[in-house]
Amino acid sequence: MRDDVTPDAPAPRRRSFLRFTGALGAAAALPPVLAGCSAGPQSTNDTGGGGSGENRTLTAVIGYGNDGSWDPTQTASAFSMAANNHVYEGLLDTDPITRVPYPALGTEVPKDPNATAWRFTLRSGATFHDGRPVTADDVVFVFDRILDPGTQTLAKGFFVSWLDGVKKVDARTVELKLKFPFPEGLSRLTLAKIMPKHVFARPGAWDDAIKGLAVGSGPYRQTAHHPKSNTTFEAFAAYNGPRRPAFKKMNWLTIVDAAPRVAKISGSDAGAQIADNIPYANISRLEQGGMTVAGGAGMNNLFLMFNTKHRPFDDVRVRQALHYAIDTEKMVRVALKGHGKPASSFLNEGNPGYRRARTVYDYDPEKAKALLKAAGVTNLKVDILAVNVSWIVDCLPTIKSSWDAIGVETTLAPQETTAVFTKMDQKQDYQVVAAASNPNQFGLDADLIMHYNYGPQNLWMGYTRWADDSVARKLFTDMDRATREPDAAKKKAMIQDYIDVVAEQAVLYPVVHNELMTAWDPRELTGIRAQPYPGINLLQAKWI
């Protein structure tokens, strides 16, 4: 849900939020057998630099932490997910922009998306980074973990509602059995990255994956991992898949603070060729310096999450009042420099499933005050527990001034994302959380996005303490009915209808959707496309 995790059927229970989101700061050394993972600051570790011409190292700057979970079945970390897309493959993967599926480890996309059985033949000669062949056993191993009712993973929420099971047909063939026709499942297969059973079935290996152990069959092999500093990669020489590696080596730096991140790609001493999460205020200067800066508009959003067991936030009128009170146009103009829109649905306007919600929180302070009066609420004091993602911090003053203006005394408390959600995970009391989210990391289909955020055993509903509400229970039933609806037009309408309920209840709801900016040096790189979710994808990029 978060912007650095932005952001992914029921989501996992609260076994440990940090394992799912990638907020776990792990510096423990990993087994040396398959990954060069080590702890320590960048200055004391190999950064993967050096080389010249086509052998030079591509350096990227990622505006999110690399110290989160690297387990593909668990993570929603922006850095880890972006890296895993280069290290691992699914049976199918999807284009990072269109999200159209293409064959990866599987040799073709099933011809009938509406079938209830999909058979996949694995690519001949596909091998893991340790030299062992990819087999049907590895595929079954991963899907068994995802579907195991006794194992809570983030990926479970993307598959368990529609996928009945996966069986081995022969050494290079698997068959997926569906519970009902679900064509959207084809694009979701990219979320089931195939991992070597001989590595991850051993005791403790899943914990090692959380800490940074990454062994896949993709075009790049992880060579070193330094939490809170950088992760390095090199081209996997034995890769024979569809998107060949164009860079001999890559060094991805994690720089969360905006100023040093921008400095790393600026001026004559620039040490990197590409960076994501570019602040809007720096766009002009970077362009004047010869950089290309492009944006992607999608589900990236600032959302408010209310603790419905903490009065008066159990009253829908109070939640609505606080949304109506926010001057969202000012927020877009001042904080986002025009690179955003006030939310008019849970989905962004560019989503294929979008329809303007029945309840839209246009700026209306008088209505906000009337709702608070109707709820019998006076002298309300609110502490906003907020993440310190740079653009969120820029937006917070607008929320404070808007709430102060209607008589709600507001205190801002931005802090590290890890700290915010550790409190959530520990069930600590809170009033309102302001954070960033981008479910587009997982895909575009509205069913996936809404189930990521809402569901009876959903992690986020646990944080809101709302899942046992009668409105919530009906909502979850309606959501599951929409998942099973075979007619695409009817399904779209059903989803839009229940999004109206989500909008009205405002338990967890976006305030603004904004554009994410990526900058790169066009004198050195070609084939770059700015994506509307955190991270970068270099599978079709190359040196000039």
Side-chain angles (χ1 to χ4, degrees), residues 96-297:
I97 307 301
T98 67
R99 312 311 282 265
V100 173
Y102 64 87
L105 275 173
T107 56
E108 64 178 359
V109 177
K111 293 181 174 59
D112 183 4
N114 290 297
T116 55
W118 293 331
R119 184 165 289 201
F120 290 91
T121 299
L122 300 181
R123 186 177 72 238
S124 179
T127 59
F128 289 113
H129 297 154
D130 62 353
R132 298 274 290 271
V134 181
T135 70
D137 290 329
D138 300 303
V139 177
V140 173
F141 167 71
V142 169
F143 279 102
D144 279 354
R145 171 175 167 80
I146 291 172
L147 298 176
D148 179 7
T151 302
Q152 292 301 325
T153 62
L154 180 61
K156 183 189 297 295
F158 305 137
F159 292 95
V160 73
S161 65
W162 57 274
L163 183 60
D164 191 45
V166 178
K167 69 176 183 179
K168 173 182 176 180
V169 177
D170 59 40
R172 288 184 48 234
T173 308
V174 295
E175 185 172 273
L176 278 62
K177 178 66 174 176
L178 281 62
K179 296 177 181 178
F180 48 84
F182 192 70
E184 296 92 339
L186 290 176
S187 62
R188 295 192 191 185
L189 292 179
T190 188
L191 301 173
K193 299 301 187 187
I194 306 307
M195 307 168 74
K197 180 178 179 179
H198 64 273
V199 174
F200 292 100
R202 60 180 176 76
W206 290 112
D207 287 334
D208 291 340
I210 290 170
K211 298 170 186 175
L213 177 63
V215 184
S217 61
Y220 291 95
R221 182 177 71 87
Q222 186 199 78
T223 53
H225 177 56
H226 309 135
K228 298 185 182 296
S229 173
N230 69 305
T231 305
T232 62
F233 313 86
E234 69 178 14
F236 179 41
Y239 180 74
N240 66 349
R243 298 199 171 180
R244 304 295 179 93
F247 307 105
K248 299 292 186 182
K249 294 183 179 181
M250 297 194 300
N251 181 29
W252 289 20
L253 309 176
T254 169
I255 305 179
V256 177
D257 293 339
R261 182 167 67 253
V262 172
K264 197 68 177 178
I265 59 168
S266 303
S268 58
D269 295 327
Q273 294 82 41
I274 184 171
D276 76 341
N277 197 19
I278 298 299
Y280 306 121
N282 296 108
I283 293 174
S284 178
R285 179 165 67 87
L286 287 170
E287 290 178 335
Q288 291 172 4
M291 304 293 285
T292 295
V293 185

Side-chain angles (χ1 to χ4, degrees), residues 470-486:
S470 59
V471 177
R473 291 196 297 269
K474 184 179 185 304
L475 169 68
F476 303 151
T477 298
D478 291 343
M479 292 175 70
D480 289 339
R481 284 179 52 245
T483 297
R484 291 177 171 271
E485 173 55 52

Side-chain angles (χ1 to χ4, degrees), residues 350-369:
N351 187 283
Y354 169 83
R355 182 181 76 194
R356 183 178 172 85
R358 188 171 59 230
T359 303
V360 176
Y361 296 100
D362 295 323
Y363 179 47
D364 193 339
E366 293 307 313
K367 187 170 185 176
K369 287 188 281 188

